[in-house]
């Protein structure tokens, strides 16, 4: 009967330890609450400067946590009523753990988080110089705004949605993990909002008003701008922390946005092309507004794509050419 306090956490349940010289641990435990980021930060601080190389971090995963993982012989069930890890917060977490020979498997796991649910499996392979991570995770019905904010990825999206990821990474801290992410992901959000840009106002400004050239070349979002959407979906291929998409869709009340490009999760920068069109004008020539989103996540820069000007110039030229042929082919009036 285990009942003890570890830092701010209370641990209850049962533990069996075999062979004290090389312990094999079996357990069925529950914590009332724990902040794992507190321990990850402490472990990261130990790795900072390598001996004889001031200011240069030690190789990722080269410190005590890897040695600890390699020596684990563990099997059991673990529950946490309140959990924080890598910035994420969850409740009623249930984890199954199996560690042997330097490989830690966590799963199948479940939890409640951000008004939705989580299920998945995580593997940490500590046999090499750096920890190798594998994630197979699904979030369903979650509030994406606070989720992405706590992950320190985005601070401008809200809505309810599903997220699925199958990813690999290296390292044991959040920054290292983001830099080394590889795999694929998908998202499907509904009834949300994007802060920082008003796509419908932008479309009307360019397509319906006689804006100056300076305005057209660079449209800077104003404070308080936002875009409400009914649906947002997309799939992503992730390579070395850069998530690329070719099928991003955002459906608004009157507009449809389709997009492709990439998001650098480590550097937190955008490189996207979005084609914006009124749904009633789908497929019509020169009715689409193509623009680029670059810059940082916190301060995106929006510029019109060259294709917009090419289309407008072509239409103007065709119109003038038509007038010229009209005059050329028109019979001369007799006096």
């Amino acid at each position: 009967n285990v009942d003890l306090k570890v830092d701010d956490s209370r641990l209850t349940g049962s533990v069996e330890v075999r062979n004290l010289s090389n312990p094999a641990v079996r357990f069925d435990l529950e914590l009332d609450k724990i902040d794992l980021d507190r321990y990850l930060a402490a472990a990261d601080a130990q790795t900072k400067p390598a001996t004889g190389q001031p200011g240069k971090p030690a190789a990722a995963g080269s410190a005590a946590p890897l040695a600890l993982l390699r020596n684990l012989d563990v099997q059991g069930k673990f529950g946490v009523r309140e959990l924080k890890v890598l910035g994420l917060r969850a409740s009623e977490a249930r984890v199954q753990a199996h560690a042997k020979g330097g490989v830690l498997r966590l799963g199948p796991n479940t939890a409640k988080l951000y008004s939705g649910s989580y299920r998945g499996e995580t593997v940490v392979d500590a046999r090499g110089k750096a920890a190798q991570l594998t994630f197979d995770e699904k979030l369903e019905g979650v509030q994406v705004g606070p989720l992405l904010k706590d992950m320190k990825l985005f601070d401008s999206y809200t809505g309810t949605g599903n997220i699925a990821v199958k990813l690999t990474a290296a390292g044991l801290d959040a920054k290292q993990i983001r830099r080394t992410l590889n795999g694929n992901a998908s998202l499907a959000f509904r009834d949300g909002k994007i802060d920082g840009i008003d796509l419908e106002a932008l479309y009307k400004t360019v397509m319906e008003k006689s804006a100056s050239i300076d305005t057209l070349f660079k449209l800077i979002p104003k404070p308080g701008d936002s875009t409400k959407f009914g649906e947002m979906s997309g799939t992503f291929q992730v390579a070395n922390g850069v998530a690329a998409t070719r099928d991003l869709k955002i459906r608004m009340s009157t507009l449809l946005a389709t997009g492709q490009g990439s998001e650098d999760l480590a550097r937190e920068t955008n490189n996207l092309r979005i084609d914006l069109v009124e749904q009633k004008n789908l497929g019509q020539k020169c009715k689409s507004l193509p623009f680029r989103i670059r810059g940082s996540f916190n301060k995106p820069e929006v510029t019109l794509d060259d294709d917009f000007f090419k289309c407008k110039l072509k239409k103007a030229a065709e119109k003038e050419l038509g007038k010229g042929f009209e005059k050329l082919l028109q019979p001369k009036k007799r006096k």
Side-chain angles (χ1 to χ4, degrees):
N1 294 320
V2 174
D3 190 346
L4 58 90
K5 190 153 187 180
V6 182
D7 294 330
D8 296 328
S9 306
R10 185 181 178 189
L11 183 68
T12 58
S14 62
V15 178
E16 178 185 356
V17 182
R18 306 170 185 169
N19 186 11
L20 292 178
S21 61
N22 188 19
V25 181
R26 305 295 179 260
F27 63 87
D28 188 347
L29 295 168
E30 183 164 323
L31 272 171
D32 58 350
K33 60 183 177 181
I34 191 168
D35 182 353
L36 286 177
D37 290 345
R38 169 181 179 178
Y39 302 100
L40 290 173
D44 184 56
Q46 294 178 23
T47 70
K48 283 206 170 163
T51 305
Q53 294 177 306
K56 184 178 180 181
S62 64
L66 278 185
L68 176 64
L69 287 170
R70 291 187 188 114
N71 293 325
L72 285 179
D73 182 351
V74 173
Q75 186 172 332
K77 298 177 182 179
F78 202 87
V80 187
R81 289 198 289 274
E82 294 181 23
L83 170 67
K84 181 172 179 284
V85 58
L86 297 179
L88 298 176
R89 299 175 185 274
S91 63
E92 303 302 324
R94 295 287 179 265
V95 177
Q96 297 189 46
H98 182 275
K100 184 79 173 178
V103 178
L104 170 63
R105 297 183 183 277
L106 302 173
N109 308 320
T110 60
K112 297 177 182 177
L113 72 172
Y114 301 94
S115 303
S117 63
Y118 156 81
R119 56 190 174 92
E121 185 172 3
T122 300
V123 178
V124 183
D125 187 340
R127 291 174 293 184
K129 291 182 179 179
Q132 301 298 315
L133 311 179
T134 303
F135 307 96
D136 187 353
E137 323 285 352
K138 288 185 180 179
L139 300 174
E140 297 178 335
V142 298
Q143 293 296 318
V144 297
L147 170 71
L148 294 173
K149 184 175 181 179
D150 284 352
M151 291 178 72
K152 297 182 180 178
L153 291 178
F154 299 94
D155 195 15
S156 53
Y157 295 87
T158 61
T160 302
N162 302 332
I163 302 172
V165 300
K166 287 188 176 182
L167 299 168
T168 61
L172 291 175
D173 67 272
K175 289 182 180 179
Q176 174 73 5
I177 289 169
R178 287 203 296 267
R179 285 195 301 269
T180 56
L181 281 171
N182 289 278
N184 58 72
S186 64
L187 61 84
F189 301 161
R190 67 179 189 275
D191 301 327
K193 186 173 71 168
I194 305 170
D195 290 325
I197 186 170
D198 187 339
L199 291 176
E200 293 188 301
L202 185 148
Y203 184 87
K204 289 177 183 177
T205 298
V206 178
M207 303 297 281
E208 298 179 12
K209 296 181 181 179
S210 55
S212 68
I213 292 296
D214 288 340
T215 304
L216 293 178
F217 271 109
K218 190 166 186 180
L219 296 167
I220 303 173
K222 299 184 292 295
D225 279 357
S226 64
T227 299
K228 291 183 179 180
F229 63 86
E231 297 176 19
M232 177 192 290
S233 64
T235 59
F236 298 84
Q237 298 298 316
V238 185
N240 298 321
V242 178
T245 181
R246 293 180 176 274
D247 60 0
L248 182 65
K249 289 184 182 178
I250 306 172
R251 196 176 297 276
M252 292 150 274
S253 58
T254 60
L255 301 180
L256 174 67
T258 58
Q260 59 182 353
S262 63
E263 302 277 325
D264 191 322
L265 304 179
R267 294 183 176 88
E268 299 186 352
T269 56
N270 305 286
N271 185 16
L272 293 170
R273 171 179 162 139
I274 305 292
D275 285 278
L276 198 58
V277 64
E278 285 188 290
Q279 295 183 44
K280 65 181 181 181
N281 292 330
L282 281 172
Q284 292 188 35
K285 190 176 180 181
C286 286
K287 293 293 186 179
S288 171
L289 174 61
F291 61 93
R292 298 278 179 179
I293 302 177
R294 298 185 177 92
S296 67
F297 291 168
N298 292 330
K299 195 175 180 181
E301 296 176 359
V302 183
T303 57
L304 283 170
D305 192 83
D306 290 346
D307 287 350
F308 173 78
F309 299 101
K310 290 175 183 176
C311 189
K312 290 294 183 185
L313 288 171
K314 186 178 178 183
K315 278 187 72 176
E318 287 173 347
K319 187 176 180 180
E320 292 304 316
L321 191 61
K323 287 179 182 178
F325 272 106
E326 244 177 57
K327 290 178 181 178
L328 183 64
L329 299 174
Q330 199 172 52
K332 190 175 180 179
K333 292 181 180 179
R334 294 180 181 179
K335 293 182 181 179

